[in-house]
Amino acid sequence: MHLVAIGGSDAGISAALRARELDPTTDVTVVVADAYPNFSICGIPYYISGEVTHWTNLAHRTHADLEATGMRLRLNTLATSIDVHGQRLHLRDAAGAESLLDYDELIVGTGAVPTRPTIQGLDQLGAADGVHLLHSMGDTFALTQSLDRIDPKTALIVGAGYVGLEMAEGLTARGIHVTQVEMLEEVLPTVDPELGALVHAELDRHGVSVHTSSRATRIEKIEGGLHVSGAGPDQEPLSWDVDLVLVVVGVTPDTDLLVRAGAQTGQRGAVVVDDTMATGLPHVWAAGDCVITHHRLLGTTYLPLGTTAHKQGRVAGENALGGNVRFAGSLGTQVVKVFDLVAARTGLREHEAVAAGFAPVTTTATPDDHKAYYPGAHPITIRVTGDQHTGRLLGAQLIGARGTETAKRVDTYATALFHGMTVDAMSELDLSYTPPLGSPWDAVQMATQAWARQHQHATGADQGASA
Amino acid sequence: MHLVAIGGSDAGISAALRARELDPTTDVTVVVADAYPNFSICGIPYYISGEVTHWTNLAHRTHADLEATGMRLRLNTLATSIDVHGQRLHLRDAAGAESLLDYDELIVGTGAVPTRPTIQGLDQLGAADGVHLLHSMGDTFALTQSLDRIDPKTALIVGAGYVGLEMAEGLTARGIHVTQVEMLEEVLPTVDPELGALVHAELDRHGVSVHTSSRATRIEKIEGGLHVSGAGPDQEPLSWDVDLVLVVVGVTPDTDLLVRAGAQTGQRGAVVVDDTMATGLPHVWAAGDCVITHHRLLGTTYLPLGTTAHKQGRVAGENALGGNVRFAGSLGTQVVKVFDLVAARTGLREHEAVAAGFAPVTTTATPDDHKAYYPGAHPITIRVTGDQHTGRLLGAQLIGARGTETAKRVDTYATALFHGMTVDAMSELDLSYTPPLGSPWDAVQMATQAWARQHQHATGADQGASA
């Protein structure tokens, strides 16, 4: 039995690890396009900021750790095509030499590539000019080389999603003045604008110049730097002279290999898989950022997350060995730290819930993270979304100061969503309490009780009274 | 409709609040034995330590807040007996005047009293001698008066449970050298000794002199202080001269009123109630530390916790108005901060699980709270207990440094236990991840995966391999 995984990131490595864990007699090869298997690309902003002191620390496991599990790694090797019926891969190494690799089962985890927005000049400029995209370790080294060479005083970041925000913090930590340009109405567009505004204020507090509802439309090289032209909320012209430009506006699934092999595509062009991670092509499985995501509330969507890639890879690795497990589905649980704030979400926001056929209503509450009488209490802003007909919990969004355990409070909502709880039933959960770290009703429950008071009628004697 | 609650702590006030919330036309009276309704007795150690700057801050709600909800408070009033058939209470005020109070529905939340261990001299000595128990606000004022009067340099605490540990920290924060004497083999006996040992080490690090497997057997007043005699692990005599003694060895349900009214008692002498909080006596409900606790894994037990009292009071308040809700049951979720450590548990430990008919096995793991490459990562020691036959999650115990979100990580286990999840299924939960605050598999999941690797066979192709 020869299992081959394509891709050295979360999905491919998780699949290989799971296969070796379940059956140490399985022959496992992982084909990795670059020299950096099992690197934590989510950690790149912290290497750029200087908080991670050496790039090798970004490896979840070292090359030696991986080989110690018994898997074989083929680094700097590109899978150029899949011969589905012949059950073999065409490979090309860094020197251009081509070869074939037979497999019994194949797991494709080619991931995603950074999305290139339509900005005039972007395709002509590159790392040598101080214009960067950021996704891989190769991109990371190109950026750190620019930082060393240019020693920028100013940078412009296109995009204010997770990576854009983390990079705004990382470059600010290096003493670089950051201008951040976001096309949508508020930063961190994965949460409601009311909450994004809190992140916006945090960026302001740390000296980042934020332009929302704005676009960068053109980048030009000028004497000593870069000139970026754009447009503001009212289409008024904007322009910035900066030393460095970073474009981080999301990712696009890297599906070329699978599509040429005959795989079907779905949302956002990602490859269609079922919840066993089967592609429909015989003996070909796929997982991670290149595939559609089964979602417990939405059915399927495209929602590339490292946590999901780990889970899907694990499922694919087990099923490729003849197992019969299913990916239980994503809830889109996410968290980001932006300077001293933590923003998290799980489940659906109203517009997503409406599209999925629910009747969502949302209530904002601002309970303290712990009893106010104990020093250091901070409010957490929590938006709870539930279905007004069934009372079902649909989602939660939280923003709190670092130290308020916001990142793990979202996990309570995620676990409740996993089980389809109602908003009201959250009050039945036996959550922990001590005055320095919580409240007798946890902040999580104070927020669901606020929702219930606003949207539900009493279940008690007086059916007409508001509960 | 006149609803009367006895007890101004969590259960009584929660019942009264819920009744007023559900039906603002309900006439609600709360009979409070002292002058301190709705005080957070869990916060007392932080008032003693000086972290809470004024005792009035310990009120969850002020007297005015409570009256604004429309409830009536009868302070400094003792309920001396219940006339069940006449539906009226006999009361006695602080001046000794007796009166009667009619009710339509009665909710009893008399709580608990501090347990008095068998220590020679304890009954003869008291606050005037610097010998204290600690449970009520009255006890608190007596203690602060002693601290002001005696200005103790040394104190001995009998008991190393939650309150004993918090008080060891609180008195140490005041510059007092603390000796702590615990009868059981390790401090914090509500967690396994392996974890208690970590708390023990934390006490050592902060200068507390800890004696485990030891007892205080006699307290005597001596010139300028107190002499405490005791016995160590091998029955060797121990003695200490200290300025102050604090005895905090748990609580005993305060059931006298209900028992004289004809209520049945169960575990630890607590009053038997069903999960609607009915006592069986007509129109008499009870909640909080005076009653047995419905437990989702144990059936019933005695497990006095403020979180539970809030939930039970809320249920009693709703049902007293004719509602039909049930207390969903405790999981014994608890957390305590001891200096810079946080210790938490939920569900069952092995001996408790065995007694409940399970086949528990436990695995310890020490995953980092977040990716090690990001500064400030600390291991969390997690003991996961599951049933070796069914794979069901039975309990989790965690100890981590402050700042590791340990208090809210236990909530993920608590929510999983609430839903009867298997240990293995925990890997399906979509939990949040960002490198500064977590891992792609959260620490919670790394611990359950460690359990599964140790105790479960593969579910994949090779049924014989260890998963």
Side-chain angles (χ1 to χ4, degrees):
Chain A
M1 168 67 171
H2 185 210
L3 184 145
V4 174
I6 301 173
S9 196
D10 299 336
I13 296 291
S14 292
L17 288 168
R18 185 59 170 163
R20 290 291 308 166
E21 177 180 64
L22 289 173
D23 183 0
T25 69
T26 306
D27 197 13
V28 175
T29 302
V30 185
V31 176
V32 183
D34 62 17
Y36 312 106
N38 208 203
F39 269 67
S40 173
I41 60 173
C42 298
I44 290 171
Y46 310 105
Y47 172 58
I48 303 294
S49 72
E51 290 159 299
V52 175
T53 49
H54 197 276
W55 64 268
T56 53
N57 295 342
L58 288 179
H60 286 301
R61 292 168 195 79
T62 65
H63 196 142
D65 291 340
L66 291 169
E67 291 195 326
T69 69
M71 67 179 71
R72 199 178 308 114
L73 295 167
R74 302 248 328 228
L75 303 186
N76 297 307
T77 300
L78 199 66
T80 54
S81 72
I82 305 169
D83 175 357
V84 173
H85 296 293
Q87 286 178 244
R88 60 187 182 175
L89 277 184
H90 291 261
L91 302 178
R92 186 168 65 228
D93 71 14
E98 312 233 336
S99 62
L100 292 170
L101 182 64
D102 290 326
Y103 63 79
D104 294 304
E105 300 289 333
L106 177 67
I107 297 168
V108 180
T110 42
V113 293
T115 303
R116 296 182 80 89
T118 310
I119 299 175
Q120 221 183 317
L122 180 60
D123 287 345
Q124 288 75 48
L125 299 168
D129 311 295
V131 177
H132 292 266
L133 282 79
L134 186 60
H135 188 66
S136 65
M137 289 306 294
D139 297 336
T140 304
F141 298 131
L143 177 57
T144 53
Q145 282 161 19
S146 278
L147 290 169
D148 291 344
R149 187 182 74 251
I150 301 171
D151 189 18
K153 304 291 172 286
T154 56
L156 184 139
I157 298 176
V158 180
Y162 288 83
V163 180
L165 293 171
E166 289 165 347
M167 286 305 302
E169 179 179 343
L171 294 180
T172 299
R174 289 180 72 114
I176 299 169
H177 177 259
V178 173
T179 297
Q180 189 146 32
V181 180
E182 168 59 46
M183 191 174 67
L184 297 172
E185 66 172 305
E186 193 44 277
V187 301
L188 192 58
T190 48
V191 300
D192 289 342
E194 296 89 325
L195 298 190
L198 301 176
V199 175
H200 191 140
E202 183 73 359
L203 293 166
D204 289 345
R205 250 192 307 280
H206 288 84
V208 177
S209 299
V210 181
H211 297 265
T212 50
S213 302
S214 300
R215 284 170 305 118
T217 53
R218 180 187 181 131
I219 309 173
E220 295 161 276
K221 203 163 178 187
I222 55 169
E223 180 63 33
L226 296 157
H227 182 78
V228 182
S229 317
D234 301 314
Q235 302 306 317
E236 73 278 19
L238 295 172
S239 71
W240 305 273
D241 288 345
V242 293
D243 301 326
L244 188 96
V245 170
L246 183 63
V247 177
V248 277
V249 297
V251 297
T252 303
D254 186 355
T255 61
D256 180 54
L257 190 68
L258 279 168
V259 167
R260 281 190 288 109
Q264 300 298 305
T265 57
Q267 286 95 336
R268 297 271 306 277
V271 166
V272 172
V273 288
D274 65 19
D275 58 7
T276 70
M277 309 317 295
T279 61
L281 303 173
H283 307 290
V284 181
W285 314 80
D289 292 0
C290 61
V291 302
I292 61 160
T293 309
H294 289 260
H295 189 289
R296 293 179 75 84
L297 293 163
L298 292 176
T300 59
T301 184
Y302 179 65
L303 189 41
L305 288 168
T307 44
T308 299
H310 275 83
K311 290 182 180 71
Q312 292 180 337
R314 192 171 194 251
V315 167
E318 184 157 344
N319 288 338
L321 292 200
N324 181 28
V325 290
R326 288 164 190 280
F327 171 55
S330 171
L331 291 162
T333 311
Q334 300 164 59
V335 63
V336 62
K337 183 184 92 63
V338 183
F339 295 102
D340 299 319
L341 273 193
V342 173
R345 66 165 286 189
T346 185
L348 306 182
R349 291 163 59 200
E350 283 198 12
H351 66 282
E352 299 160 335
V354 167
F358 294 104
V361 283
T362 300
T363 293
T364 303
T366 55
D368 285 332
D369 72 309
H370 65 253
K371 288 303 297 179
Y373 59 69
Y374 187 86
H378 292 286
I380 306 174
T381 304
I382 306 181
R383 280 173 68 77
V384 169
T385 300
D387 187 285
Q388 61 186 312
H389 299 319
T390 64
R392 182 175 174 180
L393 178 69
L394 296 173
Q397 303 167 63
L398 301 83
I399 293 207
R402 221 179 151 186
T404 57
E405 307 208 6
T406 293
K408 294 298 118 185
R409 279 189 160 104
V410 78
D411 288 355
T412 303
Y413 289 114
T415 307
L417 281 170
F418 186 93
H419 291 286
M421 290 185 84
T422 63
V423 177
D424 199 44
M426 295 285 295
S427 289
E428 297 185 345
L429 293 176
D430 186 13
L431 307 180
S432 75
Y433 164 53
T434 184
L437 297 164
S439 306
W441 296 108
D442 190 71
V444 158
Q445 294 169 314
M446 287 194 263
T448 53
Q449 289 173 3
W451 186 96
R453 272 194 299 274
Q454 193 172 350
H455 301 295
Q456 286 195 318
H457 292 297
T459 51
D462 184 345
Q463 290 292 334
S466 167
Chain B
M1 166 67 168
H2 185 209
L3 184 146
V4 174
I6 300 173
S9 196
D10 297 338
I13 296 291
S14 291
L17 287 170
R18 186 59 170 163
R20 289 291 307 166
E21 177 180 65
L22 289 173
D23 183 0
T25 69
T26 306
D27 197 14
V28 175
T29 302
V30 185
V31 176
V32 183
D34 63 16
Y36 311 106
N38 208 203
F39 269 66
S40 173
I41 61 173
C42 299
I44 290 170
Y46 310 104
Y47 172 58
I48 303 294
S49 72
E51 291 160 299
V52 174
T53 48
H54 197 276
W55 64 268
T56 52
N57 296 341
L58 288 178
H60 286 303
R61 292 169 194 79
T62 64
H63 197 140
D65 290 340
L66 291 169
E67 292 196 326
T69 70
M71 67 178 70
R72 199 178 309 114
L73 296 167
R74 303 253 321 232
L75 303 186
N76 297 307
T77 301
L78 198 65
T80 54
S81 72
I82 305 170
D83 174 358
V84 173
H85 297 293
Q87 285 177 243
R88 59 186 183 176
L89 278 183
H90 290 260
L91 303 179
R92 186 169 64 231
D93 71 15
E98 313 235 336
S99 61
L100 292 170
L101 182 65
D102 290 325
Y103 64 78
D104 293 302
E105 300 290 331
L106 177 68
I107 298 168
V108 180
T110 43
V113 292
T115 302
R116 296 181 80 90
T118 310
I119 300 176
Q120 221 184 315
L122 180 61
D123 288 344
Q124 289 75 48
L125 298 169
D129 310 295
V131 177
H132 292 266
L133 282 80
L134 186 61
H135 188 67
S136 65
M137 289 305 295
D139 296 337
T140 304
F141 297 131
L143 177 58
T144 53
Q145 281 161 20
S146 277
L147 290 169
D148 290 345
R149 187 184 73 252
I150 301 171
D151 191 18
K153 303 291 173 285
T154 56
L156 184 139
I157 298 177
V158 180
Y162 288 82
V163 180
L165 293 170
E166 289 165 346
M167 286 306 302
E169 178 180 343
L171 294 180
T172 299
R174 290 181 73 114
I176 299 168
H177 176 260
V178 173
T179 297
Q180 189 146 34
V181 180
E182 168 59 47
M183 193 174 67
L184 296 172
E185 66 173 305
E186 193 45 276
V187 302
L188 193 58
T190 47
V191 299
D192 289 343
E194 297 89 325
L195 298 190
L198 301 177
V199 175
H200 191 142
E202 183 74 0
L203 292 166
D204 289 344
R205 249 192 306 280
H206 288 84
V208 178
S209 299
V210 181
H211 297 265
T212 50
S213 302
S214 300
R215 284 171 302 120
T217 53
R218 181 187 180 128
I219 309 174
E220 296 161 275
K221 202 160 181 190
I222 56 169
E223 179 63 32
L226 296 158
H227 182 78
V228 182
S229 316
D234 301 314
Q235 302 306 318
E236 73 277 20
L238 294 172
S239 70
W240 305 272
D241 288 344
V242 293
D243 301 324
L244 187 96
V245 170
L246 184 63
V247 177
V248 277
V249 297
V251 296
T252 303
D254 185 355
T255 59
D256 181 53
L257 190 68
L258 279 168
V259 167
R260 282 191 285 111
Q264 300 298 306
T265 58
Q267 286 96 336
R268 297 273 305 280
V271 167
V272 172
V273 287
D274 64 19
D275 57 8
T276 70
M277 310 316 295
T279 60
L281 301 174
H283 307 290
V284 181
W285 314 80
D289 292 0
C290 61
V291 301
I292 62 161
T293 309
H294 290 260
H295 189 290
R296 292 180 75 85
L297 293 163
L298 291 176
T300 59
T301 185
Y302 181 65
L303 189 41
L305 288 168
T307 45
T308 299
H310 275 83
K311 291 182 180 68
Q312 291 181 338
R314 194 171 192 252
V315 166
E318 184 156 345
N319 288 339
L321 292 201
N324 182 27
V325 290
R326 287 163 191 281
F327 172 55
S330 172
L331 290 161
T333 311
Q334 300 165 60
V335 63
V336 63
K337 182 184 92 64
V338 184
F339 294 102
D340 299 319
L341 273 193
V342 173
R345 66 166 287 191
T346 186
L348 306 182
R349 292 164 59 200
E350 283 198 10
H351 66 279
E352 298 162 333
V354 167
F358 295 103
V361 284
T362 300
T363 293
T364 302
T366 55
D368 285 331
D369 72 308
H370 65 253
K371 289 302 298 177
Y373 59 69
Y374 187 87
H378 292 287
I380 306 175
T381 304
I382 306 181
R383 281 174 68 76
V384 169
T385 300
D387 186 285
Q388 61 186 313
H389 299 320
T390 63
R392 181 174 175 180
L393 177 68
L394 297 173
Q397 304 168 63
L398 301 84
I399 293 208
R402 220 180 151 185
T404 57
E405 308 207 4
T406 292
K408 294 298 117 185
R409 279 187 160 105
V410 78
D411 288 355
T412 303
Y413 289 115
T415 307
L417 281 170
F418 186 92
H419 291 286
M421 290 185 84
T422 63
V423 177
D424 201 44
M426 294 286 294
S427 290
E428 298 185 344
L429 294 176
D430 186 12
L431 307 180
S432 75
Y433 164 53
T434 185
L437 296 163
S439 305
W441 296 109
D442 190 71
V444 158
Q445 295 170 314
M446 287 194 263
T448 54
Q449 289 173 4
W451 186 95
R453 272 193 298 274
Q454 193 172 348
H455 302 295
Q456 287 195 317
H457 293 297
T459 50
D462 183 345
Q463 291 291 337
S466 167

